[in-house]
Every structure is written in C-alpha cells, then in structure tokens.
C-alpha cells in the first residue's frame, strides 16, 4: 500500500488572480498526526479545500487515499472526515435530529462514538444547533466527522473557539483515534502548543510553499538558536547564509539554523575564535523563526 | 512521569531518559512488564508513535526486550553495555575535551599525546 494517504505533486492554485499555492509537494504518511502550520494567507485553507475536492488545482496532481479528489466517489468521501474553519450546521435542527440526519448518509456510522463524545463534551442532544456556543458547535462538527469512521480526518482550525479544558479533551480524542483506528489526522491550527502535544509530523507553509515537512522530533533536534560570544578578534567576518534568522553586533552573533551535529558548531566557533551557547527552541519558537521575515542587524 | 511537550527537548527524548533512569535505578526491575505502547500513550496522553519509538530505542540499547505476544519486559544484564552505548557515553566527555583544547589553542596531536600518556600511567597503576 502507498505509505502516503495524501500526496500532491507540484500543485499550483490561484485565487482571484493571485497565486496562493505554488508547486506544492505535500506528503502525509498513513497513521500520522500531521501538524499543518502557516501564517494567515500562507495557503493552508486553499490546500485543504483542494484535498477534499471543494476546489481543483490549476496545475499539478493530488492523490488522497489513492484517488484524485475531482474523481471522488461517494464511498471515497465516506472515508474522509473534514471539519472546516467555518463549518455551518443547520441552526434550526436539534442535535439529536442532526445526528440522525447525518448518519443516514453513512452505512458504517459509529453511533457509539458519537454517544460517548456527546457525553464527554457535555452537549445536550435536545438543544437546537443555534443554541450551542461556538465552541460546542465545533465539537459537534467534530463528532459528526468522527461518526463516519474516517481513514483521514482533516481539521482546519478545529480548536479556535474552545477553552483550554475543552481543547485538551479534544486533543485526547485525536490521540485516541490514532490509537484505536489508525486514523490519519491533518491538523491545522494556530495554537502551536496543541500541535506540539499531538503531532508527529510538521509541515510549515509560507508564501504558498511548503518550507518544512519532517518529524517534530527532527525539527526540535536540529533547528537551534545559537549565541556566539567572546570573540577574540571581533565578529566582523562571521556570516551564516543558510540561517533562518541572523543578527550581529560587534561582540555577539545570534543565529537560528540547522545544527546537524555539534562538531560542526565547535569548528565554526573555533574558526572565528569565539565561544557559543545553544538555546533549544520549542515548536512555537521554531515556527516564528522560520516564517518571520529575516531581519539583519548591522 | 513528567513530560513537557512544549519544551525544546522532543517528548520522545524526555520519555526515553525517564524510562532509562527508572530502569537504571531499579524502579523498574529486571523481569518487570512494561505497560503496552497503547496503554502508556493513553496514560501520558501522547502520540502512540512517540511511545513506540521510545520502546524501540530502549530495545536497541538492550534495556528491554519484546516477547512476542506477551509484551515488553525489562531485560536482565543491563550492566553489560553495547560497544555503541559505551562510545555514546564517552562521547560527551570527549566533546568537552576537544572544545576545551580548541579554546586553549592545543593541537590534536598534543591532546592525543596527553590521552596516550594517561593510558600508559593507568596501566602502571
């Protein structure tokens, strides 16, 4: 079986005359929780819409579960759960009725999971959808997506309106899904501490392209901020063209870059006659350092 | 077990170090059964793949063994370390010496000579 449940090849898409996604090669392994990151306008939502077949690429190919989204059959769609940024559920329906209505489209509906989640999230099934809080409406959208027993669950900003406790429960459910059903999850969120809790792979989009796609472990182990100081002859000649961020004063250099092994760092410091200190970065730090416009101090 | 997902150190490393420490200190004794990957990931609320990776690392280091169909157990004879692990254990000390030497402006030959001398002295003792 293809190890990738999502595979895009050189996908490009414009919206309103502007290229929003450019030559995108996104690969998501089966059974992973993929944290899909980027600033607003980086092209995440456009990409997600192409993955679920709501819009089509101008160029390039996409395979989701082995199928081009424009060719999805009803059965293909059953296997893909999608909770969008602005999910609109029928506001006049009662929760109970909405569940019954939605389940009628899916022959393999998981009523037990829906029941458990309604209880866990404390959603009253006799309420009308419009009477639910924003957060609860998102939880309900999530429950509906879970009910269809998806192979792939795509969540676009699912936790935006949830409080900390509700977010933790929600993350716990995502982890449980992977554990129990090996569901692959593509999770887009601005709450990086959440992503950091659950994701094993990270993709970072910037200006319509994937800047990074690798395991979170590798990212944390290789992307470091390093402070070089105590220069014997001053820091004038010091340059690191491959750094994501770089700043320099006469006595100190701070740079964020890939440190693949510490030996090379020692050599670098020895060459320039200085000492160094490694500052570990968490996901939020790494994200900011990678997508922020590079600034260079004189 | 205390894990901080928002630290600069990957979760798998934190878990690996803590489990290794528990095995080393005997809190997890030889022959003890480890919780399953699923159980531990549910208990710690972390990704299943992270726990699986840690168990693999523990197995590679010879600290645990997987018995087919039974589970993962703390292995006997943890005292005997593999050559790879011995090298890893001394690597940090070597790194430190090399860094110090560079800072003092000593050459590789000079440092090698010192190490050699020390080995010779040890043999006489």
């Amino acid at each position: 079986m293809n190890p990738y449940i999502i595979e895009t090849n050189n996908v490009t898409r414009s919206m309103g005359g502007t290229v929003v996604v450019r030559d995108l090669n996104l690969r998501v392994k089966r059974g992973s929780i993929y944290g899909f990151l980027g600033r607003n306008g980086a092209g995440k939502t456009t990409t997600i819409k192409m993955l679920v077949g709501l819009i089509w690429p101008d160029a390039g190919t996409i395979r989701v579960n082995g199928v081009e989204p424009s060719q999805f059959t009803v059965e293909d769609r059953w296997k893909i759960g999608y909770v969008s940024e602005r999910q609109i559920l029928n506001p006049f329906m009662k929760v109970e009725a909405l569940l019954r209505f939605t389940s009628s489209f899916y022959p393999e509906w998981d009523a037990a999971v829906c029941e458990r989640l309604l209880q866990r999230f404390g959603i009253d099934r006799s309420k009308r959808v419009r009477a639910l809080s924003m957060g609860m409406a998102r939880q309900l959208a999530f429950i509906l997506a879970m009910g269809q027993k998806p192979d792939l669950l795509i969540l676009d900003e699912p936790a935006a309106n949830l409080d900390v406790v509700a977010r933790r429960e929600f993350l716990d459910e995502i982890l449980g899904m992977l554990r129990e059903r090996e569901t692959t999850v593509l999770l887009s969120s601005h709450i990086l501490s959440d992503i950091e809790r659950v994701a094993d792979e990270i993709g970072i989009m910037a200006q319509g392209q994937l800047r990074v796609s690798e395991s979170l472990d590798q990212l944390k182990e290789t992307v470091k901020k390093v402070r070089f100081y105590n220069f014997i002859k001053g820091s004038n000649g010091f340059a690191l063209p491959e750094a994501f961020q770089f700043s320099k004063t006469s006595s100190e250099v701070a740079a964020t870059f890939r440190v693949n092994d510490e030996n090379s760092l020692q050599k670098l410091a020895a060459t320039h006659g200085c000492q160094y200190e490694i500052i570990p970065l968490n996901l939020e730090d790494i994200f900011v350092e990678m997508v922020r416009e590079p600034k260079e101090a004189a | 077990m205390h894990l901080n997902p928002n630290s600069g150190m990957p979760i798998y490393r934190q878990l690996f170090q803590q489990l290794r420490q528990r095995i080393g200190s005997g809190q997890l004794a030889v022959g003890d059964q480890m919780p399953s990957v699923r159980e531990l990931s549910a208990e710690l609320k972390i990704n299943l793949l992270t726990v699986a990776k840690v168990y693999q690392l523990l197995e590679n280091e010879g600290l645990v063994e997987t018995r087919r169909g039974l589970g993962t157990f703390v292995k006997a004879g943890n005292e005997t370390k593999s050559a790879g692990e011995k090298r890893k254990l001394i690597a940090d000390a070597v790194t430190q010496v090399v860094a110090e030497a560079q800072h003092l402006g000593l050459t590789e030959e000079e440092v090698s000579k010192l190490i050699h001398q020390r080995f010779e002295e040890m043999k006489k003792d």
Side-chain angles (χ1 to χ4, degrees), chain B residues 12 17 28 30 53 61-62 64 78 83 86 96 98:
Chain B
Y12 90 89
Q17 285 179 358
L28 282 165
V30 172
K53 182 173 176 175
E61 291 225 339
V64 302
N78 290 325
K86 286 177 190 165
Q96 188 118 23
V98 172

Side-chain angles (χ1 to χ4, degrees), chain B residues 49-68:
Chain B
L49 303 174
T50 305
V51 180
K53 182 173 176 175
V54 170
Y55 276 30
Q56 189 58 55
L57 285 171
L58 290 171
E59 195 167 340
N60 292 350
E61 291 225 339
L63 295 171
V64 302
E65 61 183 339
T66 306
R67 294 181 205 150
R68 244 165 194 278

Side-chain angles (χ1 to χ4, degrees), chain A residues 4-167:
Chain A
Y4 299 109
I5 196 162
I6 294 175
E7 217 175 346
T8 79
N9 287 300
N10 299 318
V11 163
T12 297
R13 167 78 200 207
S14 300
M15 301 290 269
T18 313
V19 179
V20 188
V21 174
R22 191 191 302 271
D23 289 325
L24 181 72
N25 293 299
L26 176 69
R27 305 248 181 299
V28 177
K29 276 186 218 134
R30 260 173 220 284
S32 65
I33 298 180
Y34 191 95
F36 193 38
L37 315 180
R39 299 188 64 183
N40 291 330
K44 285 172 300 168
T45 297
T46 303
T47 301
I48 286 175
K49 284 183 174 163
M50 287 193 281
L51 296 178
V52 296
L54 289 177
I55 56 173
W56 297 354
D58 297 333
T61 57
I62 302 179
R63 291 282 179 281
V64 177
N65 233 347
V67 184
E68 177 84 38
S70 62
Q71 309 294 320
F72 277 161
T73 62
V74 177
E75 288 84 356
D76 292 327
R77 289 188 188 279
W78 287 341
K79 293 179 198 139
I80 300 165
Y82 170 47
V83 179
S84 73
E85 213 172 357
R86 292 189 201 87
Q87 191 104 1
I88 299 181
L89 304 169
N90 185 335
F92 303 106
M93 268 185 163
K94 286 188 176 160
V95 172
E96 170 73 54
L98 183 63
L99 276 166
R100 217 175 326 114
F101 175 72
T102 309
S103 70
S104 67
F105 294 99
Y106 301 94
E108 284 189 61
W109 187 255
D110 194 337
V113 157
C114 294
E115 188 52 47
R116 186 172 63 73
L117 290 175
L118 282 176
Q119 289 208 356
R120 175 156 201 191
F121 297 152
I123 298 175
D124 180 352
R125 48 198 313 154
S126 64
K127 268 193 180 166
R128 287 189 199 280
V129 169
R130 66 171 173 195
L132 299 176
S133 68
M134 298 263 273
M136 278 195 170
R138 303 310 301 283
Q139 285 173 316
L140 182 57
F142 174 71
I143 294 173
L144 293 173
M146 292 281 279
Q148 68 186 76
K149 292 200 207 169
D151 289 346
L152 170 66
L153 186 63
I154 296 179
L155 305 169
D156 195 0
E157 287 295 337
N161 296 308
L162 301 182
D163 64 38
V164 186
V165 178
R167 269 177 21 228

